[in-house]
Amino acid sequence: MPEDHFGEEVAQRYDMSSADMFDPAVVDPAVDFLAELAGDGAALELGIGTGRIALPLAERGVRVHGIDLSEAMVARLREKPGAERIEVAIGDFATTRVDGTFSLAYLVFNTIGNLTTQDAQVACFENVAAHLEPGGCFVIEVGVPGLRTLPPGERFHVFDFSAEHIGIDEYDVETQGLISHHLSPAERSWKLVSMPFRYVWPAELDLMAELAGMRLRDRWGGWAREPFTSESRTHVSVWEKPAG
Ligand SMILES: C[S@@+](CC[C@H](N)C(=O)[O-])C[C@H]1O[C@@H](n2cnc3c(N)ncnc32)[C@H](O)[C@@H]1O
């Protein structure tokens, strides 16, 4: 089992520290997009966390299942109204199987990067393909690797700097590794939380999908179907398992 980086301490602050991601202006377009793709079928969220997307999606009438490694994150989900409609399996989403088949599987908020090896990311696509019905879709929302922000020889990129939060990404270009460091004020000092990721290119994801028998259907710059361009900082990609 991979290391759980979302233990009790992270889980209890998650909704507050990610408050901007819970804003309806962020959540609603994602839920609209996903509900449309799910149609009458069921949806599987990999890394369901505290239910930021799963709960409003279930509210729209979509049957949502989830997989997550963190008992602490899922305990927070369980405290929320509507959680009784959502079944969650505790395990690694690269390998955990759940009962049933799905018209949609999705992995949002850069969570594919929580799998820190290429093998694990490939396994995740294979696991998704095994859960999807023919014609079903896999959606990933993830940042485009930010290497253009790095001058040669540099490995740190400050992506946020305010009185409440300092965010620094540390790149290891040789291994496609990224450690996201978050500093926040604590009693008379600062608290540091560092989380390891593997950054991954859109074209590499397409190849992983192909290895798992899926093909790219759409790539957008965001949930409102903004065009994906060479300036896009993030992408929402949709791969399809061929029908029949
Ligand atoms: C950034 S949070 C996203 C939570 C939720 N999807 C959201 O959008 O708010 C990442 C979630 O993925 C889970 N996670 C990370 N790696 C995982 C793995 N290998 N298997 C299962 N869950 C994992 C974490 O426990 C955490 O709940």
Side-chain angles (χ1 to χ4, degrees):
M1 201 73 113
E3 195 179 334
D4 177 8
H5 293 283
F6 291 80
E8 187 51 42
E9 211 178 316
V10 172
Q12 72 182 1
R13 291 185 302 110
Y14 180 81
D15 288 14
M16 209 175 55
S17 62
S18 309
D20 50 334
M21 294 299 286
F22 283 80
D23 187 325
V26 175
V27 170
D28 291 352
V31 172
D32 289 344
F33 187 102
L34 295 169
E36 193 182 315
L37 275 183
D40 295 331
L44 176 64
E45 178 164 1
L46 311 179
I48 191 168
T50 63
R52 183 179 68 91
I53 300 296
L55 283 166
L57 188 59
E59 241 169 65
R60 301 274 183 101
V62 178
R63 279 169 290 127
V64 182
H65 294 237
I67 303 175
D68 206 290
L69 203 55
S70 165
E71 303 258 13
M73 292 288 276
V74 175
R76 291 303 182 287
L77 163 63
R78 291 267 161 256
E79 291 165 357
K80 298 181 183 176
E84 66 286 351
R85 287 197 286 251
I86 300 176
E87 257 181 55
V88 182
I90 298 295
D92 176 6
F93 59 61
T95 52
T96 299
R97 295 296 302 269
V98 302
D99 288 340
T101 56
F102 299 86
S103 57
L104 171 71
Y106 64 95
L107 185 46
V108 298
F109 199 1
N110 300 320
T111 302
I112 182 69
N114 284 123
L115 298 174
T116 54
T117 66
Q118 190 184 54
D119 283 351
Q121 292 179 351
V122 167
C124 173
F125 274 79
E126 282 165 355
N127 196 28
V128 163
H131 283 93
L132 285 181
E133 294 160 2
C137 288
F138 182 30
V139 176
I140 286 188
E141 174 201 30
V142 65
V144 176
L147 297 192
R148 285 166 69 193
T149 59
L150 287 187
E154 186 52 88
R155 67 178 206 277
F156 294 103
H157 172 63
V158 179
F159 63 88
D160 191 20
F161 194 98
S162 72
E164 288 82 40
H165 177 245
I166 297 173
I168 302 169
D169 279 341
E170 178 182 4
Y171 286 86
D172 181 343
V173 176
E174 191 188 336
T175 63
Q176 277 188 220
L178 170 76
I179 301 175
S180 212
H181 301 285
H182 298 267
L183 276 155
S184 44
E187 223 175 298
R188 277 194 244 140
S189 74
W190 286 78
K191 179 164 183 49
L192 174 66
V193 173
S194 297
M195 197 148 317
F197 290 86
R198 176 179 189 270
Y199 65 82
V200 59
W201 301 96
E204 193 185 1
L205 292 171
D206 292 344
L207 198 54
M208 291 180 190
E210 216 172 300
L211 288 173
M214 296 184 279
R215 56 176 170 244
L216 183 68
R217 178 162 133 177
D218 285 309
R219 171 158 294 130
W220 305 102
W223 292 110
R225 295 185 169 79
E226 299 88 341
F228 178 73
T229 71
S230 50
E231 298 309 317
S232 296
R233 296 285 186 93
T234 187
H235 62 104
V236 172
S237 294
V238 183
W239 297 272
E240 190 174 31
K241 179 168 169 170

